[in-house]
Amino acid sequence: MGIKEIRTALKVDLNKHAREQPGLHNRWHPDIPACGKIANNEVVKIECLDWTGGQIQNNDSAEDVRTVDLTEIHYLSGPFDIETAEPGDVLLVEIQDVQPFQDQPWGFTGVFAKENGGGFLDEIYPKARHIPGVRFAGLIHPGILGCAPSAEVLAEWNKREGELIAANTVDGRVVAQPPQPMNSHAGSATEDIKDKVAKEGARTIPGRPEHGGNCDIKNLSRGSKVYLPVHVPGAKFSVGDLHFSQGDGEISFCGAIEMAGVITLKFTVIKNGMAKMDMKSPIFIPGPVEPQFGPGRFLTFEGFSVDEHGKQHYLDATVAYRQTCLRVIEYLRRYGYSDYQIYLLLSCAPVQGHIAGIVDIPNACTTLGVPMDIFDFDIRPEADAVKRDMGSCAFASE
Amino acid sequence: MGIKEIRTALKVDLNKHAREQPGLHNRWHPDIPACGKIANNEVVKIECLDWTGGQIQNNDSAEDVRTVDLTEIHYLSGPFDIETAEPGDVLLVEIQDVQPFQDQPWGFTGVFAKENGGGFLDEIYPKARHIPGVRFAGLIHPGILGCAPSAEVLAEWNKREGELIAANTVDGRVVAQPPQPMNSHAGSATEDIKDKVAKEGARTIPGRPEHGGNCDIKNLSRGSKVYLPVHVPGAKFSVGDLHFSQGDGEISFCGAIEMAGVITLKFTVIKNGMAKMDMKSPIFIPGPVEPQFGPGRFLTFEGFSVDEHGKQHYLDATVAYRQTCLRVIEYLRRYGYSDYQIYLLLSCAPVQGHIAGIVDIPNACTTLGVPMDIFDFDIRPEADAVKRDMGSCAFASE
Amino acid sequence: MGIKEIRTALKVDLNKHAREQPGLHNRWHPDIPACGKIANNEVVKIECLDWTGGQIQNNDSAEDVRTVDLTEIHYLSGPFDIETAEPGDVLLVEIQDVQPFQDQPWGFTGVFAKENGGGFLDEIYPKARHIPGVRFAGLIHPGILGCAPSAEVLAEWNKREGELIAANTVDGRVVAQPPQPMNSHAGSATEDIKDKVAKEGARTIPGRPEHGGNCDIKNLSRGSKVYLPVHVPGAKFSVGDLHFSQGDGEISFCGAIEMAGVITLKFTVIKNGMAKMDMKSPIFIPGPVEPQFGPGRFLTFEGFSVDEHGKQHYLDATVAYRQTCLRVIEYLRRYGYSDYQIYLLLSCAPVQGHIAGIVDIPNACTTLGVPMDIFDFDIRPEADAVKRDMGSCAFASE
Amino acid sequence: MGIKEIRTALKVDLNKHAREQPGLHNRWHPDIPACGKIANNEVVKIECLDWTGGQIQNNDSAEDVRTVDLTEIHYLSGPFDIETAEPGDVLLVEIQDVQPFQDQPWGFTGVFAKENGGGFLDEIYPKARHIPGVRFAGLIHPGILGCAPSAEVLAEWNKREGELIAANTVDGRVVAQPPQPMNSHAGSATEDIKDKVAKEGARTIPGRPEHGGNCDIKNLSRGSKVYLPVHVPGAKFSVGDLHFSQGDGEISFCGAIEMAGVITLKFTVIKNGMAKMDMKSPIFIPGPVEPQFGPGRFLTFEGFSVDEHGKQHYLDATVAYRQTCLRVIEYLRRYGYSDYQIYLLLSCAPVQGHIAGIVDIPNACTTLGVPMDIFDFDIRPEADAVKRDMGSCAFASE
């Protein structure tokens, strides 16, 4: 309380390549050295790059989005040693604030080429910056936070994801990303550790049950508390991938409004917490400042596990959610939006994606609620729909 | 306005078998005769049986739950001819009230034997009435509402579900229910129509994209508006399966708190609505009276598409939601609840199931938010957990 | 839990005069005999008349509203002896449900003649049933609940209100109602107690700090907990004056939508609670099912303590709230509503009345938020305002 | 959209006296020259001093609070000419963001000496920085915004407030502040205009019905829209007095958490809006990001118009709200807080002050809801209350 300023535990340099900054890293590995210490119960500020590590510029070109190098994304800030944290503990991380840099108040969103990460609807919308008629309050949050895996946990990740890759039955798709030495960044690691991390380090793209990671949970904003399993001494906590706003599912992959910025966190160690709570995956309590539209202000679409070719799937919520997204796109077209504009909007606006029914064979049913109040015009079904000139997103050249 | 009473469009008799009541039916078929007419813009009351058609009694035995005959469930009230409704229109149904019968103020929930419908976690919790320490306000809603399919739509349902049944690759499970003549009830149909309905009529268990049906959307309570596609002249609207309360996913199959009661609906025909809105599946706007706990009062669990055997699945939200449910069960055990108690609780309490991330290969991430305020004690992770004697559910004999 | 039915602690007879029913009473007095016993921790149902004790009929005449006899209103159900409750305890009353009688689903609202109780704006709108274009979910609650005063508390009430009456400086107005023998109803009291109650019993019109009473708090609906000071052995709890819906302030006096019905309550005695909490007036925790429009859906008006004659008042929140109500009336006229229609609407719809600023001399500032979603049309200032034919309320003949 | 940066319409210098900055002023007067032009539909940033104009330092001394010079407070940023705005128009001001200066992330609150402005409870708590056990998300908002009065409006203010001062019947209190030449700051005005403003300019302390001004409405945060009457050509809009957080009523006068910062506003002129809306006072629509605790998380206190000496007042909501505040103070003492700590807490935390009933003679009833979730411990009445060492506020020396 009082006049003590909050310590900044890590500063980043927006004008220097991420790889040259020893407080950043882009793989999950227990041997990446800590870039700093944080006391139990301490509050610190941590600066973060945007998730591309600065590959995207504040302009209207879509070329940089198209050619993002996905081997060098997710430069995370950390890892930090949290004093007194031991394997088996739970690390309580309270998010006290998340802000853009005051002199860099911008963000971006986009859709990748299918061959470059793609997105949830990438077969239908393979390529796409501008969505008029829409405004919403951002619910700023970090896409990624978590503690380092232990060697055992890391080995388990590489094994099970390797098996999926080996057994790949999904027609023509990359189903998971194995360790990738190219552009691996292990912070301030010595050469031999660097090599080890490059060879073994888990990619940061997926969230994983044992530690959380890239969960892209849109509600982890100011006031939230996250409870994270600790697998290594000191916890080795990392954070990054700040989002100005995101919808449930982050459906266009780089779907949130991505930004660099500063996050203020408080750390508290709960001794032996994993056993006490029988914790296998992170849990959290959101903060009280979500945008609050009222339940009656969500135009809500239903989707079922029958795909766009009429094929019936068995209780498949992923297929159902895809269909739900398509239903929104079909509906919003009537106001003049292009499909890509809606696709991006669903990814970055505070839309609510729910599991509605998941037991009534053979159909899973999911819903997607679109807050009507983010639009400048009335989108209720009974209001007249006027087709407007909505311009278009910025597209990459072929 | 004023003194005119609301007309009751259908009365049910709780002391008579559902099959003997011509205003009920338990299959979806265009030829089931309408049991009454409702004017465009009219408000009516419609009485409904509980979803088992009265097979469950208000007692503490679990035998009746175990032996529910699933061939004769979902006796729906209807179908009703809505004046002026034509194929291609959209039927706006406003839910003005849903209430239990004043002299039958009770409900039930339960878990079925795996061989008898099962539930979302039925491999793990195969058999299970009493959950102390918990109280919550009901958000009363109909589990099922929809208009009759056309002959073409019905044929499409039977074809695609038949293909799934034929191709069944899900180890040892019933993946879908084909038409089932036994116990089919076609309302007031003549004998030949009865036979036709028995042979072709679609089961009421799954929701389906073309008309909605059994969507089990917990938010369709007082004040909600539902927009339904119309496939046959007069719409042939049916409703039933009232729930006192339900959680997202209704995970234990008969997971809601099921009840008989009265629903008050207003009907408005939107001419040519399907084309205007490019509508393929129902959409809705919830009412304003959901229980409102505040975002910061949801203890929220994360789950990922890695199953309980450690197997990695590709962006499978169904696997992820299953895991999320398991994480809640593991956590709540520490207060003395049995797994079955928690399983039932998740099914009937107002829990929030969200799609969090569905693009970060290979893991889908879902979340399940449990409102902490429904418990008599403090379930936050940092509060002391005291193991209490929570009794047990009622179990069926083996 | 289980199959035990909830006991009805009091039945009322809608076809019999309130005065002939010994479980009702219409004065606050410690000597009114208890009409029944309720155990600590028991849940009971209690039936209630509407606040006029049945003087208003379900028709379109306004004559009965005009001529309501205010000496015989507020027939409360009770008093009930709560076992173990002693002076100094706090009685926790949990409101589990409030419902209209199933066969009497109607209510009313109205404005009284100024000489007959009047209302908050009765100088401006001295006389006035029909408000088209508006629909809202009711938040059903009891206007009155409280425990009986002790003899000392009652004497204090009569003294201080008597002093106000004696010193009446408010031009031409009735400022308080002294005890009124006419039409006093003391339940099952013997003749001498009846006389005592008639002579000394406090009128039920105002809420009072020592016990609550007629607080007309619109949020005390399903799920609410009320903590009441206990002044006499057994608490002698009474309840009545059910409202289907009300706005903050109940500004037109009989401003709520008034109804008869059934309330389900749970009683728990907190021993010595008044000293523990230093409790001088009731406190409460609302239930979680308020209508939830979202903060961004309230069109909110400001009012200040400068009256309609331009006179500056010193930090007077009552004058400010009056002005705030007038601002809403002036605004809503543009849609074709008459002033009386708006006056009634403000009284019965879920409007939010806040104290905004109360320290910036000389102006108090209050606000009144009108939920825009209760209207069938768009009332935002930037939307086109179309004057419609809104009909009129029912008026009494002169 | 895109890469255009938002223009900063006014920069302030935190190291220079407010009086030396021509873009600031501290009186309301039509002749204060505009400090800049803003286009219709333009979005700009405006920097603001804290309301004391920098008199309070970031330290733990309370002396500076005690000796604040109230003749030179409320240095507002502006006035700004809004292009096309004319008397009779309505100026729509959309609040897009409010932030502290990134390198000045602090604020303060305090209680003044009774002779120096005092506060709502200043007779009871005449003097008083530290409230442990409490944390809440700020709802940052401007305390003051409004357009300049016309000469006629200003004359009316001075007349009616002068009459109140002349007729002062409130025992020993300053009831209003007349124009005060000392320390008047008229921006860039020439000497003769300066003199005129000093002599006639209305003090900025009270909000006033004709233009809003210092309304201290805690909900005017990000996303809010305010509709302001325009009285002079160009509107001459001013803004200032930023609050990090405030409770309804701002009861301790300097009760909000006060701060300097930057506000981002969009301006839109609604031609002839005052007549169209029959607008006499500002109206607004709050933004969607209020802290959202859920109705069931507010411990709510009732107060009535019987003062602390037992005197009955007639429907006086100001007396009732005072009593309501006192009830909270009495209750929260049991956790070890001093009265001053609670007084300050009520002023700066997001507490909800409602008008409950204002027609039931002779008692007005107001309520004050305290969000239980801002406390580190359980404040429900049924939870055990432990008296803690809560330290104390910083006090000024006598």
Side-chain angles (χ1 to χ4, degrees), chain A residues 30 43 51 66 75 96 140 181 219 230 250 265 278 286 292 296 336 349:
Chain A
V43 178
W51 80 274
R66 192 186 55 150
Y75 284 98
Q96 301 201 337
I140 310 185
N219 309 85
V230 173
E250 202 194 18
L265 301 174
D278 200 359
Q292 187 181 356

Side-chain angles (χ1 to χ4, degrees), chain B residues 181-195:
Chain B
M182 187 165 65
N183 287 320
S184 167
H185 181 32
S188 63
T190 55
E191 284 307 313
D192 52 332
I193 296 289
K194 264 189 190 161
D195 286 353

Side-chain angles (χ1 to χ4, degrees), chain C residues 11-336:
Chain C
K11 282 189 169 301
V12 296
D13 185 338
L14 296 179
N15 300 312
K16 206 172 171 181
H17 195 285
R19 238 175 348 225
E20 292 159 35
Q21 304 192 41
L24 301 176
H25 62 106
N26 64 6
R27 295 293 185 273
W28 291 110
H29 196 288
D31 296 346
I32 299 172
C35 73
K37 265 197 166 17
I38 298 173
N40 191 6
N41 293 313
E42 190 178 359
V43 178
V44 297
K45 294 186 181 210
I46 299 170
E47 297 185 356
C48 300
L49 293 186
D50 81 82
W51 81 276
T52 68
Q55 296 185 57
I56 307 295
Q57 302 305 311
N58 188 14
N59 58 33
D60 264 4
S61 160
E63 303 295 326
D64 48 7
V65 172
R66 193 187 53 149
T67 60
V68 155
D69 183 345
L70 292 182
T71 64
E72 52 168 345
I73 57 166
H74 284 167
Y75 284 97
L76 305 177
S77 299
F80 295 96
D81 261 350
I82 313 301
E83 291 187 334
T84 80
E86 290 297 326
D89 293 346
V90 163
L91 183 64
L92 165 53
V93 182
E94 296 175 77
I95 300 174
Q96 301 200 339
D97 205 8
V98 201
Q99 293 285 350
F101 288 112
Q102 202 142 303
D103 51 354
Q104 294 272 348
W106 64 281
F108 64 91
T109 191
V111 177
F112 292 138
K114 191 180 162 188
E115 53 275 23
N116 197 16
F120 190 46
L121 305 178
D122 64 6
E123 288 161 51
I124 300 169
Y125 304 114
K127 38 205 178 104
R129 185 178 167 164
H130 296 123
I131 311 169
V134 178
R135 288 194 296 176
F136 48 85
L139 185 65
I140 310 184
H141 63 276
I144 298 180
L145 78 184
C147 299
S150 64
E152 293 70 32
V153 166
L154 177 61
E156 172 67 19
W157 293 355
N158 284 332
K159 175 174 170 290
R160 75 181 177 219
E161 294 176 17
E163 287 170 359
L164 179 71
I165 295 169
N168 185 354
T169 58
V170 185
D171 186 36
R173 295 196 69 106
V174 175
V175 295
Q177 298 273 15
Q180 163 62 281
M182 186 164 64
N183 287 320
S184 166
H185 180 30
S188 62
T190 54
E191 284 307 313
D192 52 333
I193 295 291
K194 264 189 189 161
D195 286 353
K196 201 174 173 209
V197 169
K199 219 172 58 190
E200 303 170 356
R203 302 296 302 275
T204 53
I205 293 172
R208 291 182 180 94
E210 291 83 354
H211 82 143
N214 190 21
C215 291
D216 290 329
I217 291 167
K218 74 177 195 302
N219 310 87
L220 292 184
S221 194
R222 254 194 316 161
S224 299
K225 296 174 167 190
V226 191
Y227 302 83
L228 295 171
V230 173
H231 296 288
V232 300
K236 291 201 164 171
F237 169 85
S238 300
V239 64
D241 188 19
L242 304 188
H243 297 162
F244 180 73
S245 177
Q246 188 206 289
D248 272 343
E250 202 194 18
I251 67 164
S252 70
F253 191 50
C254 163
I257 299 176
E258 311 282 344
M259 62 175 226
V262 190
I263 187 165
T264 307
L265 300 174
K266 179 176 181 184
F267 295 89
T268 309
V269 174
I270 303 177
K271 296 309 294 180
N272 201 24
M274 287 182 66
K276 277 195 228 159
M277 302 179 210
D278 200 359
M279 181 185 282
K280 300 204 177 101
S281 290
I283 63 181
F284 65 91
I285 300 174
V289 286
E290 285 184 6
Q292 188 180 356
F293 298 103
R297 300 301 297 171
F298 281 90
L299 184 61
T300 310
F301 295 79
E302 304 180 4
F304 299 82
S305 53
V306 174
D307 70 22
E308 63 271 22
H309 311 298
K311 188 181 167 190
Q312 179 71 57
H313 296 253
Y314 173 70
L315 295 184
D316 189 323
T318 305
V319 169
Y321 198 56
R322 238 173 100 98
Q323 291 302 309
T324 316
C325 295
L326 290 172
R327 295 299 89 78
V328 186
I329 291 172
E330 290 152 8
Y331 183 87
L332 290 178
R333 273 177 198 151
R334 65 188 195 140
Y335 304 106

Side-chain angles (χ1 to χ4, degrees), chain D residues 123-355:
Chain D
E123 287 161 51
I124 300 169
Y125 304 114
K127 37 208 180 104
R129 182 178 164 173
H130 295 124
I131 311 167
V134 178
R135 288 194 295 177
F136 48 85
L139 185 65
I140 311 184
H141 63 276
I144 299 181
L145 78 183
C147 299
S150 63
E152 294 68 32
V153 167
L154 177 61
E156 172 67 19
W157 294 354
N158 283 333
K159 174 173 172 288
R160 76 182 177 218
E161 294 176 18
E163 286 170 358
L164 179 72
I165 295 169
N168 185 355
T169 58
V170 184
D171 186 37
R173 296 197 70 106
V174 174
V175 294
Q177 299 273 13
Q180 164 60 280
M182 187 166 63
N183 287 320
S184 166
H185 180 31
S188 62
T190 55
E191 284 307 312
D192 52 332
I193 296 289
K194 265 188 189 161
D195 286 353
K196 200 172 174 211
V197 169
K199 222 170 59 189
E200 303 169 355
R203 304 295 302 276
T204 53
I205 293 173
R208 291 182 179 93
E210 291 82 354
H211 82 142
N214 189 22
C215 291
D216 291 329
I217 291 168
K218 72 177 197 303
N219 309 86
L220 292 184
S221 195
R222 253 193 315 159
S224 299
K225 295 173 167 189
V226 191
Y227 302 82
L228 297 170
V230 173
H231 297 287
V232 300
K236 291 202 165 172
F237 169 86
S238 299
V239 64
D241 189 18
L242 304 188
H243 297 161
F244 180 73
S245 177
Q246 187 207 290
D248 273 342
E250 201 194 19
I251 68 165
S252 71
F253 190 49
C254 162
I257 299 178
E258 309 282 344
M259 62 175 225
V262 189
I263 188 165
T264 308
L265 301 173
K266 180 177 180 183
F267 296 89
T268 309
V269 174
I270 303 177
K271 296 310 293 179
N272 201 25
M274 287 181 66
K276 277 195 229 159
M277 303 180 210
D278 199 358
M279 180 185 282
K280 299 204 178 102
S281 291
I283 62 181
F284 64 91
I285 300 175
V289 287
E290 285 184 6
Q292 188 180 358
F293 297 103
R297 301 302 296 172
F298 282 88
L299 185 61
T300 309
F301 296 79
E302 303 179 6
F304 298 82
S305 54
V306 175
D307 70 22
E308 61 272 22
H309 310 298
K311 188 180 167 191
Q312 179 71 56
H313 295 253
Y314 173 69
L315 294 185
D316 188 322
T318 305
V319 168
Y321 198 57
R322 237 173 101 97
Q323 293 302 310
T324 315
C325 294
L326 289 171
R327 296 296 91 79
V328 187
I329 290 173
E330 290 153 8
Y331 182 88
L332 289 178
R333 274 178 197 150
R334 66 187 195 143
Y335 304 106
Y337 290 117
S338 72
D339 290 13
Y340 277 102
Q341 288 175 313
I342 309 167
Y343 187 17
L344 289 172
L345 181 64
L346 288 183
S347 307
C348 65
V351 301
Q352 305 274 9
H354 280 262
I355 303 283

Side-chain angles (χ1 to χ4, degrees), chain A residues 360-375:
Chain A
D360 294 317
I361 56 171
N363 269 322
C365 175
T366 59
T367 61
L368 199 156
V370 176
M372 299 192 284
D373 295 324
I374 68 173
F375 292 88

